[in-house]
Amino acid sequence: MLHKNLRHQVEEKLLTSYESMYRIAYTYVKNADDALDIVQDSAYKAIKNAKSIKQEEYIETWIYKIVINCAIDFLKHSKKEMATESLEELHHIGTTDHYMDFDTIRALDILNEKERAVVVLRFFEEKKLDEIAAVLGMNGNTVKSTLYRSLQKLKIELEKGEMPYEGYCGNQ
Amino acid sequence: MRGIAEISKMKQDYETIPVPLELKQRVKEGIEQAKKEEDEEEGKIMKGKRISKRAALGLKITGGAAAALVALTLISNLNAPAARAMENIPLLGSIVKVVTFRTFESSEKEMSAKVKIPEVEVRDSAGKKNDAATKKINDAVDQYTQKIIDQYKADVEAVNGEGKEEVSVDYQVVTDNARLYSLKIDTVIALNTSGITVKIYHIDKETGKMVQLKDMFKEGTKYLSVLTEEIKNQMRQRMAEDDQEMYFIDDEDMPETNWKGLTEDANFYINKKGNLVFAFDKYEAAPGYMGTCEFEIPQELIKDMVKEEYFVK
């Protein structure tokens, strides 16, 4: 009877968290169509795997992890496809969105998979450290150090982008 | 701290990522597709189970049937001392039998429970009842089934009897050889989907004691890891041979869903060939449509680790 209950809880969570799911997916694929596909696929996987949930209080974060995994998978597959295409074409991929400036979001690309997941969950979705640790299967201290390291990397990356405009202000 | 300010800008950008109108619809499609698939799978399993077992058996077994079982035990018990007198050697082995059972039945609109609680009797070779051993196994079975009943009652109370739930518990003797007597309790709990749980109790006929997995193996042997590897190999093989078979294994995408390996409380029995067989709950190591599953372990693989006396036909 627990299984059914879990599935129901997952469904409810999906219906309240889909905007976050979409945004997370978007930070990876940077275009609306692919992000929509990823969200739909994640919703499907979440329902299918609902009975494997061990900590009910973490359902939302668990869903985000599925989104992250789907997005990473998607990128891996599209890379394989791209390898067969010409270089010119390659430059256009991932830039279909024209109505927003996501230079800052693009900075996330310098992070590795783990770092990126931690930043998205902690910083964008404001999940607690121990919850992130539990869902990503890391220990609390590793999450902390990963987060710290990631923010340093991002800071450097973001400052690079701003140099031409704010260079004269000095460093602090 | 300029860095922090920039990262805040990043968060702002994140929060203003525009969300397409069709998003909600797409989420619903994902949910519906998964639910539909699961329900279809459940439907198949439930139908199979129902017809094969319960209908054939008839649900209400009256006092008459129970009495017949008791009589049977008495006869075999009467034979025991006679046999011993003839050969004048102490007969190994207790006589273990399910002598009767109690039922818990309840139904409220669309909620119902039928729980059969078997009662076991352990007698020594002279036919004398071993009270301690008898009490031990019956207490274990009682506790186990009572939990299921309590959960059902709590569910009924929680929804005032207006829910949908069907609980049935039945038992089966899966091993009764020269050395072991194993009693399997099958629990089917159907809400919208159904869970099937297995629990097997074992009595060593020689000692009258209850036996666990670790008792079947020599001390210091690494049987859990050997068995886990074997079962994983069987899962991989079955998946390779048949597209329809699917187990929670080697999933890199969602490693937390993978089967974690055999534990001490795994359910097992010795089949007619004298082989060790593991019985898994539904969902334990495979998706719902696979139902409960079993893995038979080849003797060759574990022959150096086992206490041979238990592995008889």
Side-chain angles (χ1 to χ4, degrees), chain A residues 1 3-4 7 11 14-15 18-20 22-24 26-27 32-33 36-37 39-40 43-45 47-49 51-52 54 62 65-66 69 73 99-102 104-105 107-108 120 123-126 151 154-155 158-159 162 166 170-172, chain B residues 1-4 6-11 13-20 22-24 26-35 37-39 41 148 151-152 155 165 167 189 191-195 248 253-257 260 282-283 287-288:
Chain A
M1 61 196 76
H3 298 318
K4 190 64 196 182
R7 192 172 96 174
E11 185 176 349
L14 287 169
L15 292 173
Y18 57 81
E19 295 200 349
S20 290
Y22 176 81
R23 291 197 172 104
I24 291 173
Y26 191 93
T27 64
D33 283 346
L36 281 169
D37 282 346
V39 171
Q40 182 171 349
Y44 171 84
K45 283 190 175 157
I47 294 288
K48 280 281 204 175
N49 290 286
K51 54 241 172 198
S52 71
K54 310 236 159 34
W62 176 81
K65 185 190 173 186
I66 295 178
N69 283 341
D73 248 20
Y99 47 81
M100 76 168 286
D101 153 41
F102 47 75
T104 58
I105 300 285
L108 285 170
V120 165
F123 195 65
F124 293 165
E125 290 301 328
E126 297 177 351
L151 291 181
L154 285 175
K155 208 168 104 177
L158 290 168
E159 276 173 6
E162 299 204 357
E166 294 181 25
N171 260 339
Q172 290 298 322
Chain B
M1 293 297 279
R2 252 186 63 210
I4 296 300
E6 278 154 358
I7 289 166
S8 296
K9 164 80 166 58
M10 188 172 170
K11 187 175 182 190
D13 285 351
Y14 172 81
E15 280 164 355
T16 49
I17 292 174
V19 171
E22 60 174 305
L23 177 63
K24 189 170 186 182
R26 297 288 293 272
V27 174
K28 282 187 172 164
E29 278 169 29
I31 293 172
E32 288 316 314
Q33 191 193 349
K35 278 168 74 172
E37 279 179 32
E38 284 215 315
D39 288 346
E41 288 152 8
I148 297 165
Q151 180 61 53
Y152 167 78
D155 287 352
E165 181 172 337
V167 176
I189 296 174
L191 269 84
N192 290 334
T193 95
S194 67
F248 298 141
D253 227 21
M254 313 243 296
E256 74 276 12
T257 63
K260 302 281 183 298
K282 186 175 175 183
Y283 301 116

Side-chain angles (χ1 to χ4, degrees), chain B residues 100-135:
Chain B
T100 180
F101 56 85
R102 288 169 287 135
T103 49
F104 166 84
E105 287 193 47
S106 151
S107 75
E108 320 255 335
K109 291 182 185 161
E110 294 188 78
M111 300 183 88
S112 70
K114 290 188 182 95
V115 180
K116 268 202 234 172
I117 308 141
E119 221 171 289
V120 176
E121 210 172 81
V122 184
R123 288 176 181 271
D124 65 18
S125 52
K128 189 171 169 294
K129 191 171 164 194
N130 181 338
D131 286 324
T134 301
K135 185 174 183 322

